[in-house]
Amino acid sequence: MTASDDIYRELGTLLEQAGIAEHALFLNWGYQEPGTLPLTPGESQRQLVLQLVGDTPVNGRQVLDVGCGRGGAAALMLECFKPTSVTGIDLSSGNIAFCRQRYRHPRLRFRVADACLLPQADASVDLLLNIESSGAYQQLSDFWREVWRVLKPGGDFLYADLFTAESLNDVFTALTSLGFEITLQRSIRREVLAARRQNGDRLVQRLLDSQSKGLSEKTLRDYFALPGSAVFDAMESGRIEYYYVRLHKPHDAKSVGHLPASLETRLHQRVERLAAAVKGEDKVSGTGYFPLQTPDRGAALNLFALPYAGGGASIYREWGRDAHWPADWHFCALQLPGRENRIDESGCPHMSDLVAALAEQIAPFAHLPWALVGCSLGCKIAYELAHWFAARHQPPRLLFLMACPAPHIPITHRLSALDDAQFAKEIERLGGTPEAVMRDPEMMRTVGKALRADCALAENYVAPQRLPLSIPALLVQAEDDALVSTEQIAAWQQHFDAPVSVKTLRGGHFFLRQHRVSLEQRLVAALIPALNPPKVKTWFPFGAPTKAGSVICLHHAGGSAASWREWLHPARQAGLEFCPVELPGHGSRYAEDCINELEDLLDQLAILISQAPHPVTLMGHSLGALIAFTLAQRLPAEWINGVIVSARRPPQHATPAPWRHEMSDDALITELNSLGGTPDSVMAQPELLKLFVPILRADFRLTERYLLDDYAHQRQLPLMILGGAQDREVPASELAAWRKWGNRHSEYHMMEGDHFFLHQHQASILPLLTRWLAGGDSDRAKAHADAERID
């Protein structure tokens, strides 16, 4: 596992003595698609290099192979492509001497050099390869900085090596923090293991027979990662991953980025952790509750994940590693007893016992920011853990719950007491268990222990009645989930008095792996505002809500909080507190980026509203009406007095084409002229229009891409529906469809005017609003059934 010059030199001598030096041109471990015709060792090694290169341009470029070994990859670049030149460097003088003797080509050269102190000039290389070499670098980040230095802007870095499972997040985060763009990252552990299985013992035996003393059989078997070696076993168990990554240095790249000291420290420990993982001595990847990544008191967030029934921590093996994960977050999958590395333990059929055991593992980190993820049965365990810690004033920041009925709904289909044959049949019907396991009676008996225990756990559990959790939650359901209905997902809302949102994905009950990337992105987006709550003063430039009953005002596309300025004094005179919201990128927040995803905006607004005195009224015009309605769906019912929607098509009506956010600037400006609502002072000045159009385009992107999720629970709300009789954008025929979403306390009013009618009728709307909000159930029950025109 070391790439020191001494071992390289000894191996080179040994290959010479065995008479196979001319055939051992590659030192990588090869790539073999499982289930395909076996490749020879040399063919699989060539294939690994070609897989790494993929569609990356090579022709006409300066190529540098760092850690070139015996030159096979460098020579392959000339054989398969037409680069301007290829340079191979290696710390082993023996390897370089061999390469210079073996390869004689005017565009191919070799030299002895340190990967962490490259001799190449700044911005002199187009394409840099590094294959199975960086594991020996003590200062890994120094090597990456050198790669950044020598690569030209627009250059590519092709990188393949071994990583401990828990270090992947650090590696990807560090690379992107330095400035690289990751264009592809892929685990090829299965393919490398398949290639290693094609290598017999003959090579090792031939090398051993050629020496009187020197490298031991164990050292050679580990070096070649042959079946039965410690390295092979570590890969097969998942303690070690084999990844290749394609990275790009942006054309507009400037200076290399900065890495936090804590991340540098962890990277510096990588060699020791890799060696410990190979020996099975690593605390992270060995036994216990955290087989993949351990929680860390120095992390900005520890995320604890719980599997579905019968599942192990490995279902989350790929989570928390991609580039979009913050460097100082730790994704910690919990291993329950009776599975994978804890297969010899008995499962736990009682929720209270399991929660107590898991709480003991989480407690040392609960005073720091933390969150919970659960899938199916794991959601109920997460819910109980949240109550356990909430009672001790250490609640998680967020619950991310997938594919699970609300915890008060009992399990009526009981499986735990069935005999083996009936139990196996039911498990097969439910799905989610690999076919190879189902067809192997011995494996089924082994896995079945944990499955039975989990079934008993679910069957014996019904959540008791107690106060709702004051913790935000994100619920995820599948369109075609035959095991969990939309109503059962929606029933979770009664267990929270904090914002709850629902996301629907395509697929069935076991959608976890299919949608991993989008699930992780949604999770990260929800956690960021939960960890860093929006600054109230920034969002409410005219003053934040100070009392229950405040009206939160949301502006139209391209507008700002100032759109509501003229309402503030009249509203106060009417006994109302109007609090206009300033969205990022608008008005006083012009220097900020606009938010392009509605879900991300709702996450921040929900936490903002959670800090206000409740209940509140949400009022929005056009884009603001869409935001107000969708935001109200995820807030607790008792937080909302009502929602006023103005000049917006109802949620079940898609925005017709052509979409304005896809128009050219000139076409969009023409649309603004016909639509109205943009100040004449802006329309008359091209310089202002150039500044204004990107903001408007971002707002249109929010509203025009919106589609009502038919599978998500939609709560009926007390609505006041307002429209302009001459509004060509949202005609009365469309506006009337809002009634579907209003409860018996709702009202519907049409007024004279076009799309921007609202401010013309301020004097009429404020008394109407005051009466509507002040009225009790008996008054609201008299709400108008037909449109009422107010002139």
Side-chain angles (χ1 to χ4, degrees):
M1 286 301 295
T2 176
S4 72
D5 190 42
D6 290 340
I7 289 184
Y8 270 132
R9 185 183 297 111
E10 194 162 354
L11 180 62
T13 302
L14 195 53
L15 290 169
E16 293 282 355
Q17 292 173 352
I20 55 176
E22 288 296 310
H23 304 286
L25 305 181
F26 295 89
L27 296 179
N28 73 61
W29 289 349
Y31 178 100
Q32 166 80 57
E33 291 282 355
T36 60
L37 291 175
L39 301 174
T40 66
E43 289 171 340
S44 70
Q45 290 171 320
R46 288 167 58 92
Q47 189 62 30
L48 188 143
V49 178
L50 295 175
Q51 285 288 329
L52 175 61
V53 174
D55 58 1
T56 306
V58 179
N59 296 347
R61 306 182 86 189
Q62 305 275 356
V63 179
L64 176 64
D65 183 7
V66 178
C68 64
R70 297 175 65 78
L76 188 62
M77 292 295 98
L78 283 175
E79 177 186 338
C80 297
F81 307 101
K82 296 179 179 179
T84 303
S85 68
V86 180
T87 300
I89 69 165
D90 202 282
L91 193 60
S92 166
S93 56
N95 278 342
I96 295 301
F98 171 82
C99 291
R100 287 172 174 169
Q101 179 67 31
R102 174 67 173 76
Y103 307 102
R104 298 182 182 275
H105 193 287
R107 286 184 288 140
L108 181 59
R109 59 183 64 89
F110 297 92
R111 64 186 298 183
V112 177
D114 187 341
C116 297
L117 196 63
L118 295 173
Q120 279 69 29
D122 295 356
S124 61
V125 174
D126 295 296
L127 176 63
L128 189 148
L129 285 79
N130 185 251
I131 302 174
E132 292 179 26
S133 174
S134 71
Y137 306 162
Q138 288 294 331
Q139 296 289 352
L140 188 58
S141 57
D142 286 352
F143 164 59
W144 293 335
R145 291 187 182 93
E146 281 291 275
V147 174
W148 176 274
R149 180 184 65 79
V150 304
L151 273 182
K152 298 176 183 178
D156 295 296
F157 175 25
L158 307 181
Y159 185 31
D161 215 332
L162 296 176
F163 305 92
T164 58
E166 53 87 22
S167 72
L168 280 168
N169 184 45
D170 286 343
V171 169
F172 296 150
T173 300
L175 287 166
T176 53
S177 297
L178 290 171
F180 292 106
E181 295 175 352
I182 296 179
T183 58
L184 179 67
Q185 58 188 55
R186 181 188 167 199
S187 169
I188 56 170
R189 181 169 59 93
R190 291 171 60 252
E191 291 78 6
V192 171
L193 286 170
R196 294 294 83 198
R197 291 189 183 98
Q198 301 302 326
N199 285 265
D201 293 339
R202 287 185 298 173
L203 173 63
V204 170
Q205 193 58 52
R206 187 167 176 177
L207 294 174
L208 290 172
D209 292 344
S210 302
Q211 63 175 2
S212 56
K213 61 179 181 176
L215 299 176
S216 68
E217 180 177 358
K218 180 182 181 304
T219 299
L220 287 170
R221 295 187 68 84
D222 275 344
Y223 181 83
F224 292 109
L226 296 180
S229 67
V231 177
F232 185 94
D233 291 345
M235 272 204 296
E236 192 170 44
S237 69
R239 298 197 304 273
I240 288 179
E241 283 281 1
Y242 194 119
Y243 259 75
Y244 73 64
V245 191
R246 297 178 193 157
L247 303 110
H248 182 73
K249 182 176 180 178
H251 286 280
D252 59 354
K254 297 179 182 178
S255 59
V256 68
H258 172 73
L259 299 184
S262 59
L263 182 56
E264 290 271 19
T265 299
R266 293 197 298 273
L267 291 171
H268 184 63
Q269 296 168 346
R270 176 174 169 251
V271 174
E272 291 76 14
R273 290 180 175 179
L274 192 62
V278 169
K279 297 175 183 177
E281 297 173 351
D282 57 313
K283 295 179 181 178
V284 171
S285 301
T287 60
Y289 284 90
F290 300 106
L292 301 180
Q293 185 173 34
T294 56
D296 187 342
R297 290 183 178 87
L301 173 77
N302 287 300
L303 205 91
F304 299 95
L306 294 143
Y308 48 72
S314 63
I315 69 169
Y316 294 110
R317 183 180 299 283
E318 304 297 323
W319 286 62
R321 300 178 180 180
D322 288 352
H324 58 257
W325 280 87
D328 47 4
W329 289 15
H330 275 225
F331 191 96
C332 312
L334 280 155
Q335 191 74 285
L336 305 186
R339 59 215 77 194
E340 296 177 348
N341 58 298
R342 304 182 67 189
I343 192 70
D344 294 330
E345 301 178 42
S346 298
C348 189
H350 300 293
M351 183 66 78
S352 59
D353 295 339
L354 181 58
V355 167
L358 295 175
E360 184 177 351
Q361 301 299 315
I362 296 172
F365 311 94
H367 65 290
L368 305 165
W370 67 291
L372 282 166
V373 171
C375 184
S376 195
L377 174 62
C379 297
K380 296 181 178 181
I381 302 171
Y383 170 76
E384 286 297 323
L385 280 167
H387 267 291
W388 196 95
F389 283 100
R392 292 156 178 80
H393 308 290
Q394 293 181 321
R397 300 295 179 91
L398 179 79
L399 289 182
F400 187 81
L401 308 174
M402 299 175 282
C404 183
H408 66 278
I409 300 174
I411 300 291
T412 55
H413 188 49
R414 305 182 73 85
L415 306 181
S416 59
L418 297 177
D419 62 39
D420 287 349
Q422 290 176 309
F423 183 73
K425 187 175 181 180
E426 283 296 301
I427 294 301
E428 185 173 18
R429 183 185 66 81
L430 292 174
T433 303
E435 186 175 348
V437 175
M438 297 299 306
R439 297 289 175 262
D440 188 326
E442 184 60 34
M443 290 181 68
M444 191 59 197
R445 278 193 295 271
T446 302
V447 173
K449 295 176 183 177
L451 272 171
R452 279 189 186 275
D454 285 352
C455 288
L457 179 67
E459 293 161 4
N460 296 334
Y461 169 78
V462 175
Q465 285 190 343
R466 53 193 166 191
L467 290 175
L469 287 167
S470 297
I471 301 168
L474 178 55
L475 309 175
V476 185
Q477 62 182 359
E479 289 180 357
D480 303 316
D481 193 336
L483 303 181
V484 185
S485 68
T486 297
E487 292 73 22
Q488 289 175 324
I489 291 284
W492 274 99
Q493 303 246 8
Q494 65 187 270
H495 295 278
F496 296 91
D497 63 1
V500 175
S501 59
V502 180
K503 180 177 177 63
T504 305
L505 300 174
R506 297 190 181 278
H509 187 68
F510 295 97
F511 58 78
L512 187 69
R513 294 185 187 276
Q514 179 185 358
H515 295 290
R516 176 185 65 81
V517 173
S518 63
L519 287 169
E520 287 186 272
Q521 290 172 342
R522 192 72 204 93
L523 173 58
V524 172
L527 278 166
I528 288 174
L531 291 173
N532 303 291
K535 295 180 179 178
V536 172
K537 187 175 181 180
T538 303
W539 290 77
F540 291 111
F542 298 110
T546 61
K547 62 182 180 180
S550 298
V551 181
I552 310 295
C553 306
L554 295 146
H555 56 73
H556 59 81
S560 68
S563 306
W564 298 95
R565 189 195 304 270
E566 295 178 2
W567 292 72
L568 300 181
H569 181 65
R572 280 195 295 270
Q573 290 183 318
L576 297 173
E577 183 180 53
F578 265 43
C579 302
V581 170
E582 192 84 283
L583 298 181
H586 299 70
S588 61
R589 305 179 68 183
Y590 175 76
E592 300 179 42
D593 292 332
C594 294
I595 296 180
N596 292 319
E597 296 294 335
L598 184 60
E599 287 293 326
D600 296 344
L601 178 59
L602 295 175
D603 284 337
Q604 299 208 39
L605 287 171
I607 292 178
L608 190 75
I609 303 284
S610 72
Q611 302 173 57
H614 305 138
V616 299
T617 299
L618 301 177
M619 182 174 185
H621 182 77
S622 193
L623 167 65
L626 169 66
I627 296 171
F629 171 77
T630 49
L631 178 61
Q633 294 289 335
R634 66 167 57 186
L635 298 177
E638 59 272 18
W639 288 16
I640 303 296
N641 260 340
V643 179
I644 300 101
V645 293
S646 169
R648 165 71 198 182
R649 62 181 51 84
Q652 71 269 34
H653 289 197
T655 301
W659 282 353
R660 292 181 174 116
H661 78 269
E662 295 180 344
M663 290 180 175
S664 67
D665 285 357
D666 290 343
L668 185 54
I669 290 171
T670 301
E671 279 289 300
L672 292 185
N673 273 314
S674 64
L675 186 62
T678 303
D680 292 339
S681 59
V682 174
M683 295 300 300
Q685 298 188 47
E687 295 81 6
L688 286 178
L689 271 177
K690 287 181 181 179
L691 298 175
F692 179 64
V693 164
I695 299 169
L696 192 66
R697 193 184 302 282
D699 285 350
F700 281 142
R701 187 179 294 113
L702 276 182
T703 182
E704 291 174 342
R705 295 188 305 172
Y706 175 79
L707 283 175
L708 179 71
D709 190 342
D710 291 332
Y711 294 88
H713 172 72
Q714 299 287 336
R715 188 169 67 225
Q716 285 193 315
L717 299 162
L719 290 181
M720 178 176 284
I721 306 158
L722 304 176
Q726 289 78 42
D727 188 350
R728 290 178 299 165
E729 182 80 3
V730 186
S733 58
E734 283 200 68
L735 194 73
W738 269 107
R739 288 173 170 170
K740 174 181 178 181
W741 307 108
N743 63 15
R744 64 191 183 95
H745 307 305
S746 300
E747 299 183 8
Y748 171 40
H749 303 282
M750 290 295 292
M751 304 177 180
E752 288 297 325
D754 59 15
H755 189 65
F756 292 96
F757 69 91
L758 191 67
H759 301 303
Q760 305 167 28
H761 296 283
Q762 180 192 104
S764 301
I765 290 173
L766 284 173
L768 185 68
L769 182 56
T770 303
R771 174 194 57 77
W772 184 63
L773 292 175
D777 285 1
S778 60
D779 290 331
R780 286 192 175 179
K782 300 174 184 176
H784 302 282
D786 299 314
E788 173 184 340
R789 183 180 299 277
I790 300 178
D791 297 322

